[in-house]
């Protein structure tokens, strides 16, 4: 277990950020043994023009030229990568896979950086060393033995660079499949699916400068003090300027209340802090669609009243007339919507909806941001479409200081999709790829993440290759995912650190150690930079500065090129691509990307700008790439028959809705430590937040241990045992807990309509007092 001290629950009353954040940074640097001069130099090079892009998250930087921007999340990510700890061949010789499976996720990654390619040996149940060329040949042999290329799945986690990702998709498509499950299938997919239907592009419309100009900010379903700390600087400035900030979240996340900026000498020295949100709205889990519909209804009603009174219009009638389609039907639906369902399904009072609407209609420049609280629900696509429609009512898209701001997770998750990691590619893109590279690309859609697990379970997928990530732990329905991975002929992980996906392996299995972004990537053409796209569509270059963790680590791009070379030399699909030539000098890959995408014009030249360049987002320019050529209003009914509704019909009030989120000390499946400081949880992770009245209703007590069982209708038992109940300020009927411990509870078949994102924030569950009651923790 983590050496995090005694387990305790203790209310946190300080602001987020501040000295507490600095202290934890120091602790992390010491833990990873990087607190010497070199470690600090590494941190100071983060997000500098000649340094590396922070692997922490996808939030942009001001021009990439600011002095070192302090961020606890970034420091932890960098320290975890720059750690001095190493997993050696000797380590693998000492442990069988069965033994390693007994270790926690924290312990597995805490062994440090992987140093040599390893292959699974079934006789000893151990990973043993393999030379790189043999590893590539093993992959080629498996891939070429498959009767159908669709029997291989190629997963990408969002840290892969544009160069590695582009080469990967090119290889996979020339090999013959569009099977690209990726982490964004579990993340912002509903954004990427929803926004094209309304505004034409599945990306945000704002730039950082808009945060200086907005007067109103709505923060939907995200926890920036933990997950995007650099965003807190923008929120702090906006608040100080007098912008109105509203947090829409079932939890009163500490960082949304008060924040002390470690960048501000004044706040640090005086122990001061800045109020962030002036208003909190606490919807029930999944209640945002109904809530947004309520604001839309009220906004239209206020406009109707203004028309009747001959007063100034509330709607931006000019924008609606000039730029949108479908308004009349949309408005009629909103007018006809009953309040009972709005209030009942959102869990927000009529008075609060009125307050929220008043803030909205007073705002002259409104930005709406959102995270996983909106995307990981059954009706996520509808929610995001309605949110964009709400913004359209007052012309809050494509105007300075206003717009849509989906806040992405992984540092290059947006870029990976841009350069072709997409199981549903458009024909236009494939046409272009075929033209440039002279081969026949597969046209039928491939497996997404959920589809990939299903295909493995059904024996349709036999080879799994992961470019980063931790597929087995990030995906839903853990025991079934484990079965799925174990049914493969071959599993391959291109990876920096040991994780459970390496242990839940196919008949043959490879662990291929790769360079992190902080490390010098030297190829025949010299030291290479890679490029990434942030959450606001800015593309910039990143150069590693540290010595590689091991001489045997290869870059992701080089590994991909070698797999492609080994595999494709035995296949015949159009012109031979010079894979290894591309990997010698990544600017050649960027030239190739430029040939496929007009938006990357002068790619190599434009990344020499310190801040990189903006890819251009049509909706920001009020150019609507939709079927109507306009921004579309779309009617969505409030869903009244979801799995939650159906389960509640059977179990009544005892049925609870569970959300699974991140603690402060984790990066997705990477557990840095056992504390969730701002929520007052220390030294432990198996906790469940629950409302006081629900505790009473269920006859349970704060400090008791419970087992959690999902309610689903396929006869499969889904349970996660041994969680400590923590009385918490959370709406009734809602529970909160951490991922990935609770992933066994998420049914694989429970996903967002149209986007197929697992519904990790709305799992119908029942609580049972656990047979084993541990000692009560204070
Ligand atoms: N330190 C750190 N940084 C990270 C990550 C990490 O794990 N650790 N992960 C990265 C990744 S990949 C991602 S995608 C982002 C994730 O960053 P977030 O989007 O902040 O994700 P979560 O931690 O899952 O938090 C979801 C928030 O939504 C709220 N919420 C849950 N359900 C609902 C709902 O139905 N409605 C509303 N309105 N709110 C709801 C929760 O209370 C919580 O505050 O962060 C990225 N950055
Ligand atoms: N229940 C529940 N499930 C969820 C979520 C949730 O909120 N609730 N969130 C979902 C979301 S938003 C996401 S994005 C996914 C995340 O899913 P993934 O992206 O698959 O998971 P990570 O935990 O980010 O991957 C961590 C691993 O990546 C490897 N790694 C780290 N850096 C590098 C690198 O530079 N290169 C390479 N090649 N490998 C590297 C390390 O080996 C590390 O163990 O999880 C999803 N799953
Ligand atoms: Mo994510």
């Amino acid at each position: 277990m983590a050496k995090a001290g005694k387990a305790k629950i203790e209310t946190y009353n300080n602001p987020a950020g501040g000295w507490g954040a600095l202290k934890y940074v120091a602790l992390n640097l010491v833990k990873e043994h990087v607190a010497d001069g070199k470690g600090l130099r590494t941190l100071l090079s983060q997000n500098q023009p000649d340094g590396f892009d922070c692997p922490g998250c996808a939030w942009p930087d001001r021009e990439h030229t600011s002095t070192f921007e302090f961020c606890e999340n970034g420091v932890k990510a960098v320290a975890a990568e720059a750690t001095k700890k190493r997993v050696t061949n000797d380590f693998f010789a000492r442990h069988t896979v069965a033994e390693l499976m007994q270790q926690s996720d924290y312990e597995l990654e805490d062994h440090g950086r992987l140093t040599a390619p390893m292959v699974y040996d079934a006789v000893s149940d151990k990973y043993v060393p393999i030379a790189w060329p043999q590893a590539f040949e093993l992959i080629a042999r498996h891939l070429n033995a498959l009767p159908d290329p669709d029997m291989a799945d190629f997963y990408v986690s969002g840290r892969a660079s544009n160069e590695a990702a582009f080469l990967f998709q090119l290889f996979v498509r020339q090999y013959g499949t569009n099977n690209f499950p990726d982490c964004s299938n579990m993340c912002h997919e509903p954004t990427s699916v929803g926004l094209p239907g309304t505004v034409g592009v599945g990306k945000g419309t704002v730039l950082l400068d808009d945060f200086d100009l907005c007067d109103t900010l709505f923060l939907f379903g995200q926890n920036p003090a933990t997950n995007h700390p650099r965003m807190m600087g923008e929120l702090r400035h906006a608040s100080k300027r007098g912008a109105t900030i509203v947090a829409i979240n079932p939890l009163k996340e500490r960082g949304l209340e008060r924040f002390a900026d470690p960048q501000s000498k004044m706040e640090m020295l005086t122990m001061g802090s800045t109020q962030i949100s002036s208003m909190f709205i606490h919807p029930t889990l999944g209640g945002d669609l109904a809530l947004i519909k309520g604001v839309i209804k009220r906004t239209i009603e206020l406009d109707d009243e203004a028309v009747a009174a001959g007063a100034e219009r509330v709607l931006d009638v000019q924008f609606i007339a000039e730029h949108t389609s479908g308004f009349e039907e949309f408005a009629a639906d909103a007018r006809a919507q009953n309040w009972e369902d709005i209030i009942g399904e959102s869990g927000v009072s009529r008075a609060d909806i009125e307050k929220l609407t008043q803030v909205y209609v007073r705002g002259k420049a409104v930005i709406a941001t959102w995270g996983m609280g909106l995307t990981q629900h059954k009706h996520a696509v509808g929610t995001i479409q309605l949110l964009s429609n709400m913004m359209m009512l007052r012309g809050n898209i494509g105007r300075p200081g206003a717009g849509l701001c989906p806040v992405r997770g992984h540092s290059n998750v947006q870029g990976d999709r841009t350069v072709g990691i997409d199981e549903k590619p458009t024909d236009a893109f494939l046409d272009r790829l075929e033209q440039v590279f002279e081969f026949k690309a597969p046209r039928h859609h491939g497996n997404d993440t959920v589809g990939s697990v299903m295909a493995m379970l059904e024996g349709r997928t036999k080879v799994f290759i992961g470019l980063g990530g931790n597929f087995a732990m990030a995906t839903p329905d853990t025991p079934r995912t484990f079965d799925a991975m174990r049914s493969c002929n071959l599993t391959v992980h291109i990876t920096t650190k040991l994780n459970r996906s390496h242990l839940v392996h196919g008949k043959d299995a490879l662990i291929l150690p790769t360079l992190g972004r902080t490390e010098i990537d030297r190829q025949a053409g010299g030291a290479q930079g890679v490029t990434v796209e942030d959450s606001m569509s800015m593309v910039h270059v990143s150069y590693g500065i540290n010595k590689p963790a091991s001489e045997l680590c290869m870059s992701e791009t080089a590994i991909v090129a070698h797999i492609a070379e080994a595999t494709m030399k035995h296949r015949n699909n159009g012109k031979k691509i010079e894979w290894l030539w591309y990997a010698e000098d990544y600017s050649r890959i960027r030239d190739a990307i430029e040939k496929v995408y007009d938006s990357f014009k002068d790619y190599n030249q434009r990344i020499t700008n310190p801040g990189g360049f903006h890819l251009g987002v049509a909706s920001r320019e009020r150019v609507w790439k939709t079927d109507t050529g306009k921004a579309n209003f779309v009617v969505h009914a409030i869903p009244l028959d979801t799995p939650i509704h159906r389960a509640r019909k059977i179990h009544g009030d005892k049925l609870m809705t569970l959300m699974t989120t991140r603690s402060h000390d984790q990066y997705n499946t990477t557990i840095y430590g056992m504390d969730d400081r701002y929520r007052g949880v220390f030294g432990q992770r198996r906790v469940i937040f629950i409302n006081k009245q629900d505790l009473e209703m269920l006859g349970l007590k704060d400090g008791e241990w419970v087992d959690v069982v999902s309610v689903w209708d396929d006869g499969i038992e889904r349970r996660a045992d041994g969680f400590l109940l923590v009385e918490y300020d959370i709406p009734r009927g809602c529970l909160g807990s951490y991922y990935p411990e609770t992933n066994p509870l998420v049914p694989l078949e429970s996903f967002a309509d149209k986007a197929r994102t697992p519904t990790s924030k709305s799992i119908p569950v029942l609580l049972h007092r656990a047979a084993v009651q541990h000692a009560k923790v204070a």
Side-chain angles (χ1 to χ4, degrees):
M1 287 297 279
K3 291 182 231 102
K6 200 165 156 276
K8 62 178 178 183
I9 305 289
E10 196 173 78
T11 313
Y12 182 90
N13 289 319
N14 297 321
W19 290 105
L22 271 187
K23 182 181 125 191
Y24 273 76
V25 161
L27 288 177
N28 271 278
L29 292 176
V30 170
K31 178 180 146 230
E32 304 293 354
H33 308 295
V34 290
D36 56 10
K38 191 177 131 246
L40 290 175
R41 193 172 78 90
T42 308
L43 291 173
L44 293 172
S45 303
Q46 184 174 304
N47 294 339
Q48 294 300 298
D50 55 348
F52 59 90
D53 184 75
C54 176
C57 74
W59 188 257
D61 305 291
R62 290 214 169 255
E63 294 292 295
H64 246 52
T65 51
S66 57
T67 51
F68 168 60
E69 248 198 303
F70 169 87
C71 163
E72 185 182 350
N73 188 18
V75 172
K76 284 174 174 169
V78 170
E81 188 170 297
T83 179
K84 293 227 168 69
K85 299 179 198 166
R86 295 288 178 271
V87 178
T88 58
N89 295 353
D90 188 45
F91 170 89
F92 283 114
R94 275 186 280 121
H95 300 285
T96 61
V97 167
E99 278 167 25
L100 290 173
M101 269 305 272
Q102 300 304 313
Q103 300 194 3
S104 69
D105 296 316
Y106 172 89
E107 288 167 305
L108 290 176
E109 290 220 17
D110 197 43
H111 294 301
R113 291 288 299 278
L114 294 158
T115 51
M118 304 301 272
V119 64
Y120 180 67
D121 172 50
V123 178
S124 60
D125 186 36
K126 286 177 178 168
Y127 273 100
V128 298
I130 182 173
W132 278 108
Q134 276 72 49
F136 298 133
E137 282 308 320
L138 181 66
I139 297 172
R141 210 161 59 236
H142 273 282
L143 286 177
N144 287 324
L146 294 177
D148 180 348
D150 282 336
M151 293 178 75
D153 282 0
F154 299 85
Y155 179 66
V156 179
S157 168
R159 275 195 197 176
S161 64
N162 281 357
E163 290 77 2
F166 180 80
L167 216 58
F168 197 53
Q169 66 78 34
L170 183 60
F171 154 57
V172 172
R173 292 197 162 105
Q174 198 184 33
Y175 169 71
T177 181
N178 285 310
N179 282 346
F180 289 111
D182 81 321
C183 74
S184 78
N185 293 144
M186 298 181 266
C187 189
H188 262 290
E189 189 74 55
T191 302
S192 307
V193 170
L195 290 184
T198 53
V199 297
V201 184
K203 295 184 181 183
T205 67
V206 296
L207 288 176
L208 271 187
D209 289 346
D210 292 306
F211 278 75
D212 289 335
L213 303 172
C214 67
D215 60 21
T216 307
L217 271 154
F218 290 144
L219 315 176
F220 279 91
Q222 57 160 156
N223 182 20
T226 287
N227 296 320
H228 304 90
R230 284 180 294 115
M231 179 177 175
M232 295 307 298
E234 303 299 330
L235 298 180
R236 176 176 168 276
H237 285 302
S239 170
K240 281 196 177 302
R241 277 195 299 111
T244 305
I245 302 181
V246 185
I248 298 109
N249 196 312
L251 302 185
K252 205 170 201 176
E253 301 284 22
R254 192 57 184 136
L256 298 171
E257 291 184 87
R258 294 205 79 81
F259 180 68
D261 191 352
Q263 241 85 249
S264 156
K265 289 192 191 81
M266 201 56 176
E267 274 184 2
M268 293 300 275
L269 290 176
T270 59
M271 304 289 262
S273 62
T274 306
Q275 178 188 327
I276 299 297
S277 307
S278 49
M279 189 191 290
F280 278 88
I281 301 287
H282 298 299
T284 190
L285 287 168
D288 302 82
L289 189 148
L291 171 65
I292 293 164
K293 202 153 182 192
V295 175
I296 289 170
K297 180 179 171 69
R298 263 315 275 156
T299 305
I300 292 174
E301 281 179 2
L302 289 172
D303 186 68
D304 289 343
E305 289 163 23
V307 172
E312 193 188 331
R313 294 292 296 265
V314 175
L315 300 179
D316 185 338
V317 280
Q318 200 186 337
F319 176 83
I320 293 173
E322 204 177 310
H323 288 286
T324 72
S325 161
F327 176 72
E328 286 311 324
E329 198 191 332
F330 178 82
D333 172 73
R335 289 188 189 102
Q337 173 65 54
N338 70 62
W339 277 108
E340 194 188 332
D341 287 344
I342 291 175
I343 295 164
E345 297 302 312
S346 67
V348 181
S349 67
R350 178 93 188 250
D352 270 358
I353 295 175
E354 185 62 34
K355 277 202 281 183
L356 188 60
T357 310
Q358 290 299 336
V359 171
Y360 179 58
V361 300
R362 266 186 251 126
K364 299 252 178 291
V366 184
I367 292 178
T369 78
W370 67 95
M372 297 300 100
L374 288 202
T375 64
Q376 295 176 334
H377 292 287
K378 180 163 168 41
H379 40 276
V381 171
T383 305
I384 290 161
Q385 291 198 327
L386 278 192
L387 178 57
S388 58
N389 283 173
M390 178 187 113
M391 297 291 277
M392 282 154 54
L393 289 179
R394 289 181 42 81
N396 275 308
I397 296 178
R399 142 155 91 67
L404 304 171
C405 181
V407 183
R408 310 261 168 187
H410 271 298
S411 49
N412 197 37
V413 63
Q414 188 163 315
D416 289 343
R417 187 53 68 84
T418 301
V419 300
I421 302 300
D422 188 349
E423 75 283 0
K424 305 181 288 286
T426 61
D427 278 332
F429 163 69
L430 293 177
D431 290 346
R432 192 81 175 254
L433 204 64
E434 287 184 341
Q435 250 170 33
V436 174
F437 292 98
E438 298 175 40
F439 73 101
K440 199 104 207 80
R443 294 283 160 161
H444 54 285
H445 290 174
N447 290 332
D448 56 13
T449 294
V450 163
S452 172
V453 179
M454 288 176 174
M456 289 184 218
L457 285 173
E458 291 164 15
R460 289 184 283 116
T461 286
K462 284 294 174 190
V463 173
F464 173 95
I465 299 182
L467 181 57
N470 187 359
F471 188 85
M473 294 311 286
T475 44
D477 242 347
T478 313
R480 285 169 82 201
T481 296
F482 282 14
D483 288 347
M485 297 283 279
R486 286 177 173 138
S487 73
C488 288
N489 295 337
L490 173 72
T491 48
V492 180
H493 296 279
I494 300 164
T495 182
T496 51
K497 289 180 128 184
L498 187 63
N499 66 43
R500 199 164 306 278
S501 294
H502 311 151
L503 309 177
V504 186
H505 56 79
K507 233 180 298 143
D508 282 333
L510 289 165
I511 303 176
L512 304 180
T514 192
L515 297 177
R517 203 178 285 164
T518 53
E519 287 157 326
I520 298 166
D521 179 354
R522 197 167 292 287
Q523 305 294 335
Q528 302 298 311
V530 293
T531 53
V532 294
E533 175 185 341
D534 66 31
S535 214
M536 295 183 187
S537 309
M538 295 294 299
V539 178
H540 32 72
V541 68
S542 168
Y543 288 98
I545 59 158
N546 285 342
K547 210 173 119 210
S550 148
E551 281 176 4
L552 282 175
C553 283
M554 276 177 77
S555 78
E556 291 177 342
T557 309
I559 294 173
V560 168
H562 278 280
I563 295 175
E565 177 68 25
T567 307
M568 295 311 294
K569 70 179 179 219
H570 301 293
R571 300 179 81 83
N572 190 6
N573 178 7
K575 195 170 160 193
K576 178 168 177 3
I577 295 171
E578 297 298 332
W579 303 104
L580 301 180
W581 178 81
Y582 278 112
E584 280 174 6
D585 180 347
Y586 300 174
S587 66
R588 295 169 184 168
I589 305 176
R590 290 188 287 272
D591 282 338
I593 294 176
E594 180 176 336
K595 288 197 186 118
V596 177
Y597 300 94
D598 296 335
S599 52
F600 283 94
K601 192 170 177 327
D602 298 330
Y603 196 174
N604 277 308
Q605 191 264 317
R606 281 199 288 167
I607 54 169
T608 57
N609 297 339
F613 64 95
H614 188 238
L615 267 182
V617 172
S619 43
R620 179 179 167 80
E621 312 305 326
R622 296 192 165 178
V623 172
W624 314 104
K625 295 192 160 174
T626 59
D627 48 354
T628 58
K630 303 260 180 183
N632 292 321
F633 282 101
V634 187
V635 171
H636 285 284
I638 295 176
L640 299 171
D641 183 29
T642 64
I644 303 282
H645 289 94
R646 291 197 287 275
R648 196 155 277 150
K649 270 196 195 129
I650 303 169
H651 299 281
D653 287 346
K654 288 194 161 52
L655 192 280
M656 308 293 283
T657 307
L658 171 71
M659 67 160 146
T660 61
T661 58
R662 292 144 176 84
S663 81
H664 192 69
D665 277 359
Q666 77 181 80
Y667 194 90
N668 297 337
T669 68
T670 299
I671 312 301
Y672 297 133
M674 305 303 276
D675 298 348
D676 190 10
R677 191 160 83 243
Y678 302 146
R679 299 195 188 109
V681 177
F682 297 91
Q684 58 194 329
R685 292 179 49 86
R686 295 188 81 86
V687 298
I688 293 217
F689 301 119
I690 183 168
N691 181 289
K692 184 176 188 313
Q693 285 163 299
D694 285 331
L695 278 174
E696 283 161 16
M697 183 257 306
L698 293 168
L700 293 164
K701 288 197 199 69
D702 175 81
E704 268 188 307
W705 292 79
V706 289
D707 299 337
V708 194
V709 179
S710 311
V711 179
W712 202 250
D713 56 7
D714 56 4
I716 298 174
E717 186 187 52
R718 295 183 178 82
R719 58 183 308 129
D721 289 348
F723 286 82
L724 177 78
L725 287 175
V726 176
E727 185 186 309
Y728 207 78
D729 185 0
I730 182 171
R732 287 211 60 183
C734 300
L735 302 174
S737 191
Y738 302 127
Y739 122 82
E741 287 83 349
T742 43
N743 286 38
L745 295 166
V746 190
L748 189 61
E749 290 76 10
S750 177
F751 46 69
D753 299 335
K754 297 203 180 96
R756 292 166 52 96
T757 299
T759 58
S760 311
K761 301 281 191 273
S762 47
I763 315 164
V765 299
L766 297 170
L767 298 181
H768 301 290
R769 185 176 284 110
V772 185
Q773 290 291 319
H774 304 282
K776 182 167 177 353
V777 276

